[in-house]
Amino acid sequence: ISDLLDYLRNNLIIAHLCGFDISKPLPSYWTFRRFINDFSHDYLTSIFQNQVNILKNMGIISGEFISMDSTPIKANTKLNNPKSFSKNKFSKDNQPNSDKDCKLGVYSASNDSSNKRYKFYWGYKNHIIVD
């Protein structure tokens, strides 16, 4: 949310296109937070599904080719801090107290196929699939 607010404050044209009155201050962090918590995500899922069906019926997308990507989302825990010297900080048995829902994840720290380096983290993954 903080990154979103920073982005909108630095890109007022985008804020305007999103429907905000840029002659007034943007809504607060807590207003965005309440919106995210109270908004039904099923509503957005329905919109996305309908949009895909419409684009498919119009022949804009075919549904034959799909690409998927993911990105790690690190939990706010001291175990993700590189300066943390906790023993076994990336052990499945060492669940962070600050976020009981996060899981141990791994991602490639290099795109070089001959020199794969992996990094562990506590958190989540965000996946996106596109046609």
Side-chain angles (χ1 to χ4, degrees):
I1 295 172
S2 297
D3 289 343
L4 172 64
L5 280 169
D6 286 342
Y7 181 80
L8 292 173
R9 286 182 185 125
N10 291 315
N11 297 280
L12 291 177
I13 292 172
I14 301 296
H16 175 71
L17 291 172
C18 290
F20 294 106
D21 181 352
I22 58 173
S23 67
K24 297 178 181 176
L26 290 170
S28 71
Y29 172 93
W30 297 108
T31 301
F32 280 101
R33 182 73 180 177
R34 276 192 307 277
F35 174 79
I36 289 170
N37 288 340
D38 296 343
F39 189 78
S40 172
H41 297 286
D42 293 338
Y43 182 69
L44 286 179
T45 300
S46 174
I47 290 172
F48 291 147
Q49 288 172 347
N50 287 334
Q51 186 178 24
V52 167
N53 289 333
I54 290 168
L55 293 172
K56 217 170 155 189
N57 291 337
M58 292 174 69
I60 295 173
I61 61 173
S62 66
E64 294 178 29
F65 301 99
I66 296 175
S67 177
M68 181 177 151
D69 195 12
S70 66
T71 187
I73 300 173
K74 293 182 179 180
N76 188 13
T77 173
K78 68 180 180 181
L79 297 178
N80 283 333
N81 186 338
K83 295 179 182 178
S84 170
F85 295 107
S86 300
K87 288 186 179 183
N88 302 322
K89 69 180 184 176
F90 294 122
S91 167
K92 287 185 179 182
D93 300 326
N94 194 16
Q95 179 76 30
N97 292 327
S98 59
D99 190 339
K100 296 291 184 185
D101 295 324
C102 70
K103 301 291 183 217
L104 185 60
V106 63
Y107 65 94
S108 174
S110 168
N111 288 332
D112 182 3
S113 60
S114 64
N115 182 20
K116 285 287 186 184
R117 293 188 329 251
Y118 297 98
K119 290 197 176 184
F120 291 93
Y121 69 98
W122 285 100
Y124 307 88
K125 275 221 172 168
N126 186 28
H127 293 87
I128 186 166
I129 299 175
V130 295
D131 178 339

